[in-house]
């Protein structure tokens, strides 16, 4: 299925709409669609994407600016009609084979009204089976634009819901303003906000991306990190029991990431790994306790240093229940990542973490430690905000849950 993504400009132009288009295009490729970017200016940024630059789509094209100067004072001239016709012909040729069109801002903003009018002409011809009008900005709702808008066409096209087109706004408040302008029922307008890309924001390694995807960490509610090799003094079985208690107490999808392989200097560590795997099985935590070095048991892969740093940024808390330590470097690394620390109350970790960490007695029960972690995180505004963002505002979730149903559903959904 082919879908067009249209805006005045595309990447590498820096802007919220351009960024939105780039994320949409990459997501659609992964979802099996064939996106085509239709922009007035831009450059190819992904070899999987088709880019067509049509200069007259730009809001800064000299001919467009000349016509805009006339329109701003209320004059609809022959130059406007000529430009409208040329853009219409350009778009008819560039979009005639598309199954859907997503138009960003050009149906609610007055930066290129000849483009708006050309799109209106094509939509009345039903040039595409589906049109999604994606509104980031509303010209008729801006006091600084109102003196450039006038009664009748083409300005009226910016305050009307085109028949049969799906309407999308980027926030609830924009939806309400658009509904008031167009007299649409607010519930008929879809809200799809911009999102974030955790991997891009964190500049994750390819290895981190594989871990995140293969373990479906996007779906986790709490991610605990235990950065250590697998040796008995690390008390990893206690961390597994803590995780089990957390999941029982909260019904949250809590996960535990253990970074290292068995320690190389004691052959008994292989037996310890077997004990941990058995504990994981017994507690029914096979999908929650992850030994990262052996995600592919047949081909164990050591973690890169940069990947471990990513994990500190990705996790919600450090769980470090060691029975004995020489110092406790992960406590320092957690401090750099602003990660809450829950660790055993032993002298080296008291020295390393000071009063800024949450310590528990070695005699504490897993249930006690689980309750402390849950209580701390649930009262931590930064944790709650992070989880709200990851749960509701990642590009992958937004586009999978909200854009695909629009593209794959009825034409006037």
């Amino acid at each position: 299925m082919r879908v067009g993504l249209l805006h005045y400009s595309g990447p590498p132009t820096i802007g919220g709409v351009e960024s939105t288009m780039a994320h949409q295009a990459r997501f659609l490729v992964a979802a099996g669609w064939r996106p085509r970017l239709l922009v007035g200016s831009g450059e190819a940024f992904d070899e999987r994407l088709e880019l067509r630059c049509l200069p007259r789509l730009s809001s800064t094209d000299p001919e467009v600016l000349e016509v805009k100067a006339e329109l701003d004072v209320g004059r609809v001239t022959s130059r406007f009609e000529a430009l409208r016709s040329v853009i219409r012909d350009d778009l008819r040729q560039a979009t005639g084979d598309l199954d859907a069109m997503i138009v960003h801002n050009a149906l609610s903003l007055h930066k290129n009204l000849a483009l708006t009018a050309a799109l209106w002409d094509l939509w009345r011809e039903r040039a595409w089976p589906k049109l999604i009008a994606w509104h980031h900005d509303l010209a008729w709702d801006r006091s600084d634009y109102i003196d450039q808008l006038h009664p009748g066409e083409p300005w009226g096209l910016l305050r009307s819901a085109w028949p049969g087109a799906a309407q999308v706004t980027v926030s609830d408040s924009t939806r309400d303003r658009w509904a008031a302008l167009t007299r649409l029922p607010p519930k008929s307008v879809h809200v799809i906000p911009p999102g974030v890309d955790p991997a891009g924001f964190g500049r994750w390694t390819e290895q981190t991306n594989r871990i995140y995807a293969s373990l479906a960490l996007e779906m986790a509610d709490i991610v605990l990190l235990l950065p250590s090799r697998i040796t008995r003094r690390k008390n990893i079985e206690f961390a597994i029991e803590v995780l089990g208690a957390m999941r029982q107490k909260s019904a949250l999808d809590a996960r535990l990431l253990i970074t290292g392989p068995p320690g190389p200097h004691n052959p008994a560590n292989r037996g310890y790994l077997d004990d941990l795997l058995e504990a994981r099985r017994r507690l029914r935590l096979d999908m929650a306790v992850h030994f990262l070095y052996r995600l592919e048991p047949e081909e164990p892969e050591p973690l890169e240093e940069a990947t471990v740093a990513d994990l500190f940024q990705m996790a919600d808390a450090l769980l470090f229940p060691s029975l004995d330590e020489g110092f406790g470097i992960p406590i320092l690394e957690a401090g750099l990542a602003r990660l809450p620390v829950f660790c055993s109350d032993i002298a080296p970790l008291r020295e390393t973490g000071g009063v800024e960490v949450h310590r528990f007695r070695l005699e504490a029960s897993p249930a006690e430690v689980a309750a402390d972690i849950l209580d701390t995180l649930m009262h931590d505004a930064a944790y709650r905000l992070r989880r709200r963002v990851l749960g509701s505002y990642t590009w992958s979730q937004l586009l999978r849950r909200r854009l695909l149903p629009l593209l794959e559903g009825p034409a006037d959904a």
Side-chain angles (χ1 to χ4, degrees):
M1 300 284 280
R2 295 180 174 89
V3 56
L5 301 167
L6 184 147
H7 184 51
Y8 308 125
S9 60
T13 301
I14 296 173
V17 180
E18 290 82 2
S19 174
T20 294
M21 288 179 65
H23 285 290
Q24 287 177 346
R26 290 190 179 107
F27 171 81
L28 288 168
V29 167
W33 284 71
R34 295 171 60 185
R36 178 182 301 159
L37 272 68
L38 302 149
V39 295
S41 62
E43 297 175 7
F45 60 92
D46 190 314
E47 63 183 10
R48 302 171 300 170
L49 306 176
E50 183 182 356
L51 174 73
R52 295 200 188 179
C53 274
L54 306 175
R56 293 182 183 88
L57 303 190
S58 173
S59 60
T60 59
D61 178 78
E63 189 176 355
V64 170
L65 289 174
E66 289 177 4
V67 169
K68 183 178 185 301
E70 296 173 342
L71 291 169
D72 285 350
V73 296
R75 296 177 58 214
V76 181
T77 69
S78 59
R79 289 206 292 184
F80 166 79
E81 293 298 345
L83 181 58
R84 173 185 192 165
S85 178
V86 171
I87 294 175
R88 183 174 60 237
D89 291 343
D90 287 346
L91 286 176
R92 184 180 286 116
Q93 183 176 358
T95 68
D97 61 339
L98 296 180
D99 301 291
M101 274 281 286
I102 300 174
V103 177
H104 288 278
N105 255 2
L107 307 189
S108 57
L109 202 57
H110 67 308
K111 300 299 184 181
N112 186 344
L113 277 166
L115 167 59
T116 307
L119 288 165
W120 171 240
D121 295 339
L122 292 169
W123 181 236
R124 284 187 298 176
E125 297 173 8
R126 285 299 187 265
W128 324 287
K130 180 171 293 191
L131 174 63
I132 299 175
W134 205 292
H135 309 298
H136 303 254
D137 302 289
L138 311 178
W140 279 100
D141 194 58
R142 292 274 297 269
S143 59
D144 53 335
Y145 290 156
I146 204 68
D147 63 342
Q148 301 169 22
L149 305 173
H150 306 277
E153 287 195 19
W155 305 276
L157 294 172
L158 303 176
R159 61 184 308 171
S160 63
W162 296 7
Q167 304 293 320
V168 174
T169 63
V170 295
S171 68
D172 290 347
S173 60
T174 307
R175 174 201 60 198
D176 294 342
R177 300 198 306 274
W178 180 244
L181 283 171
T182 58
R183 300 184 180 179
L184 282 172
K187 66 180 180 181
S188 70
V189 180
H190 304 270
V191 176
I192 307 180
V196 295
D197 173 20
F201 185 79
R203 300 181 183 275
W204 290 352
T205 67
E206 283 300 316
Q207 188 178 47
T208 304
N209 278 300
R210 290 199 303 273
I211 290 170
Y212 192 77
S214 65
L215 300 181
L217 291 177
E218 185 177 80
M219 308 306 296
D221 298 307
I222 298 174
V223 176
L224 302 180
L225 180 64
L226 202 174
S228 75
R229 288 186 176 275
I230 297 170
T231 63
R232 290 193 182 275
R233 68 182 177 87
K234 297 296 184 178
N235 203 17
I236 297 171
E237 68 275 15
F238 184 79
I240 294 174
E241 291 172 354
V242 168
L243 186 82
M246 288 176 62
R247 290 171 67 93
Q248 285 187 335
K249 285 177 177 290
S250 65
L252 294 174
D253 182 7
R255 310 285 190 90
L256 175 64
L257 308 182
I258 302 157
T259 60
H265 306 302
N266 186 342
N269 288 331
R270 289 286 174 181
Y272 182 46
L273 173 59
D274 292 338
D275 293 344
L276 296 176
L277 294 173
E278 172 58 26
R280 182 176 71 172
R281 185 202 61 77
R282 173 173 47 81
L283 295 171
R284 299 182 180 178
L285 296 174
D286 294 85
M287 304 303 293
V289 174
H290 308 296
F291 295 90
L292 299 186
Y293 91 97
R294 67 188 303 276
L295 288 182
E296 299 292 339
E298 302 302 320
E299 296 183 24
E301 179 183 18
L303 297 188
E304 303 163 6
E305 284 189 19
T307 296
V308 174
D310 290 342
L311 297 175
F312 273 90
Q313 300 293 335
M314 180 195 300
D316 296 303
L318 181 79
L319 179 56
F320 208 63
S322 294
L323 302 174
D324 181 44
E325 286 290 340
F327 182 66
I329 290 175
I331 309 296
L332 304 182
E333 294 168 328
L336 288 178
R338 302 185 180 184
L339 202 59
V341 174
F342 299 86
C343 64
S344 50
D345 188 11
I346 58 178
L349 302 187
R350 287 196 294 270
E351 177 183 346
T352 308
V355 298
E356 286 73 36
V357 301
H358 302 266
R359 295 193 297 269
F360 50 83
R361 298 172 295 105
L362 290 175
E363 299 80 16
S365 70
E368 290 174 316
V369 177
D372 186 26
I373 295 173
L374 288 169
D375 182 67
T376 300
L377 293 181
M378 293 308 115
H379 287 88
D380 183 346
Y383 163 79
R384 296 199 308 272
L385 175 60
R386 174 186 174 85
R387 280 297 147 190
R388 184 160 70 87
V389 170
L390 291 175
S392 302
Y393 290 98
T394 63
W395 278 115
S396 59
Q397 294 197 54
L398 285 168
L399 299 177
R400 183 175 65 250
R401 295 173 180 174
R402 305 194 197 188
L403 174 58
L404 281 186
L406 273 184
L407 286 171
E408 296 171 352
D412 58 350

